[in-house]
Amino acid sequence: MSVGTTSQPAADDGQEALILQSVDRFLERDVRPVVHALEAADTYPAEIVEKLKTLGLFGATIAPEFGGLGLPAVTYARIVERMSAVWMSVPGFFNSHLIMAAAVQRFGTGEQKRRYLPRFASGELRGGLALTEPDCGTDLQAIRTRAVQDGDHYVINGTKTWISNGIKGSCFALLVKTDPNVQPRHKGMSMFLAEKGKGFRVSKKLEKLGYKGIDSAELIFEDYRVPASNLIGGEEGKGFHHAIGGLELGRINVAARGVGVAYAALKDSVAYAQVRKTFGKPICEHQAIQLKLGEMATRCEAARLLVENAARAYDAGERCDMEAGMAKYFASEAALENSIEAVRIHGGYGYSTEFNVERYYRDAPLMCIGEGTNEMQRIIIAKQLIARNPA
């Protein structure tokens, strides 16, 4: 069992059904009719974000005692899957936000929980995770952002990049070096709750191939002063552990997004293959198309089961970096492969911006590199296999 992990009770079947029905109504009413225009213009969907607040999804996995819904990861993953099948950007508004909240809920002091979690759950404070730097992505121990204690504050200098919700968000779980000389390097890392203010500015919006609507930004810290009371857990040297713990939930989220995109590509392809005709019959009657659809459907089901397996392990309070890594790796690759096949099945129309499949094709690659590259996931899986099965 991971240190700091708490077992999450399973959602009642009836309660989960009601939640998923509410999510489906929201998607059909407020997202599907506008996604094409918003995505094409890369417009921040303010009304959709407000509806997410109303639905309580900024507190989806936050405990009810702090105003959250307290949903288990299994239910949370199903919500993310449904949303991603309509527009993958939508769960991005609360994914890294909930990882930040999980760091506080699992590792924060009592005062930090009381001060921040209710505001996170309501969406009053919204933000995410600030880990990546211009010269550091997967190798988190190589970060250069530095925090130096000055009385009852820390002074922070450095740069973070590719931060989701960086422009519109107001608070971030910020990973820094408090001791750059200690060995091993991870013992010199700490994490702070950093609210925007003097010395904390957005440098620029980062333009992206896909994943439109949600803002990704570069953040600059110049003599930014943060209260020492905002050091998560109140102890230096624990930041790497906090970050890695949060990434388990983050990878389950990314995997669920992969399932959603893979299913959307399959659904559109099945529908199109029945109405498009060549050589006098629907293309779904051609064996070449049937082979593609069969593979696409199998990928979807396998990916969904891997996500559910990882989410159940997370809810049980078990260490699940291998399970989450498997789910994230397979589901993201399934999304990428299904999106390519959907373009092929649609032919010229698959290359047209009038059809959704070209969006799936642009969105899918992000999941293969987000929350740790798939190459890294395979290494994690192998290392855990060895550790769990000593010769």
Side-chain angles (χ1 to χ4, degrees):
M1 180 180 292
S2 297
V3 176
T5 307
T6 55
S7 181
Q8 189 83 321
D12 174 81
D13 288 345
Q15 179 193 29
E16 180 182 275
L18 289 173
I19 291 170
L20 295 178
Q21 286 171 14
S22 295
V23 168
D24 288 340
R25 285 195 297 270
F26 156 70
L27 291 169
E28 293 305 314
R29 182 185 63 236
D30 300 307
V31 181
R32 196 180 296 278
V34 297
V35 59
H36 196 82
L38 289 173
E39 203 275 343
D42 195 11
T43 301
Y44 177 76
E47 293 184 6
I48 289 176
V49 173
E50 288 303 312
K51 290 288 175 59
L52 292 174
K53 290 181 183 179
T54 302
L55 287 169
L57 290 174
F58 286 103
T61 56
I62 296 174
E65 65 186 283
F66 299 110
L69 298 178
L71 299 180
V74 170
T75 303
Y76 174 59
R78 289 170 182 160
I79 291 171
V80 171
E81 177 189 323
R82 276 170 154 78
M83 289 186 166
S84 298
V86 177
W87 189 14
M88 195 195 76
S89 295
V90 175
F93 293 108
F94 55 81
N95 174 40
S96 57
H97 169 87
L98 288 172
I99 297 175
M100 171 177 64
V104 177
Q105 185 162 286
R106 296 168 72 183
F107 308 112
T109 65
E111 191 272 337
Q112 288 168 349
K113 294 176 184 179
R114 291 189 296 272
R115 182 154 54 106
Y116 279 101
L117 289 178
R119 298 165 73 196
F120 289 163
S122 68
E124 174 194 342
L125 273 184
R126 189 175 69 80
L129 206 58
L131 307 180
T132 303
E133 298 188 3
D135 295 321
C136 162
T138 300
D139 183 12
L140 284 180
Q141 296 184 77
I143 64 169
R144 298 179 182 176
T145 299
R146 181 80 195 280
V148 178
Q149 190 161 13
D150 179 22
D152 59 357
H153 283 72
Y154 282 79
V155 180
I156 297 177
N157 286 279
T159 302
K160 296 291 180 179
T161 194
W162 291 113
I163 308 305
S164 297
N165 301 315
I167 297 173
K168 298 293 185 180
S170 53
C171 183
F172 298 84
L174 175 64
L175 188 65
V176 302
K177 281 284 183 73
T178 43
D179 185 349
N181 301 313
V182 71
Q183 291 294 331
R185 294 180 298 168
H186 67 81
K187 290 187 176 295
M189 304 170 73
S190 303
M191 186 175 280
F192 288 88
L193 288 169
E195 296 186 54
K196 284 183 175 175
K198 184 179 178 182
F200 178 169
R201 65 183 176 89
V202 177
S203 169
K204 60 183 177 181
K205 175 185 176 182
L206 300 170
E207 303 297 337
K208 308 184 293 291
L209 171 69
Y211 202 37
K212 303 288 188 176
I214 186 169
D215 50 294
S216 300
E218 184 174 85
L219 307 179
I220 306 293
F221 299 87
E222 297 171 317
D223 294 330
Y224 169 68
R225 297 179 67 84
V226 61
S229 60
N230 281 28
L231 173 63
I232 294 178
E235 182 181 354
E236 289 186 7
K238 303 294 185 181
F240 184 76
H241 175 64
H242 299 343
I244 295 301
L247 288 176
E248 287 181 348
L249 181 62
R251 285 168 183 159
I252 291 170
N253 174 287
V254 171
R257 284 197 233 182
V259 173
V261 172
Y263 267 119
L266 172 64
K267 181 180 177 182
D268 286 10
S269 296
V270 169
Y272 182 78
Q274 294 176 74
V275 297
R276 173 65 169 168
K277 294 182 178 180
T278 62
F279 306 105
K281 59 183 178 181
I283 63 173
C284 65
E285 295 182 19
H286 293 298
Q287 193 175 60
I289 300 301
Q290 292 171 350
L291 293 173
K292 291 182 183 296
L293 294 176
E295 289 179 357
M296 292 168 73
T298 303
R299 285 191 203 108
C300 286
E301 281 301 292
R304 182 183 62 80
L305 291 169
L306 281 168
V307 172
E308 186 166 308
N309 181 56
R312 290 192 185 284
Y314 184 90
D315 288 335
E318 300 170 0
R319 178 171 183 170
C320 63
D321 47 352
M322 184 172 82
E323 290 78 7
M326 284 180 171
K328 189 269 184 189
Y329 161 56
F330 189 89
S332 60
E333 294 291 344
L336 185 60
E337 292 170 15
N338 276 18
S339 68
I340 293 172
E341 293 290 34
V343 170
R344 287 173 167 163
I345 290 169
H346 282 73
Y349 290 113
Y351 207 63
S352 167
T353 56
E354 293 183 19
F355 283 70
N356 289 329
V357 292
E358 67 85 27
R359 168 161 56 87
Y360 309 149
Y361 181 67
R362 287 185 291 104
D363 280 347
L366 171 68
M367 292 174 285
C368 295
I369 56 178
E371 302 288 9
T373 65
N374 281 356
E375 288 72 22
M376 181 57 67
Q377 302 313 309
R378 282 177 278 183
I379 292 171
I380 291 170
I381 293 164
K383 287 184 174 180
Q384 276 299 300
L385 276 173
I386 294 167
R388 298 183 190 188
N389 299 280

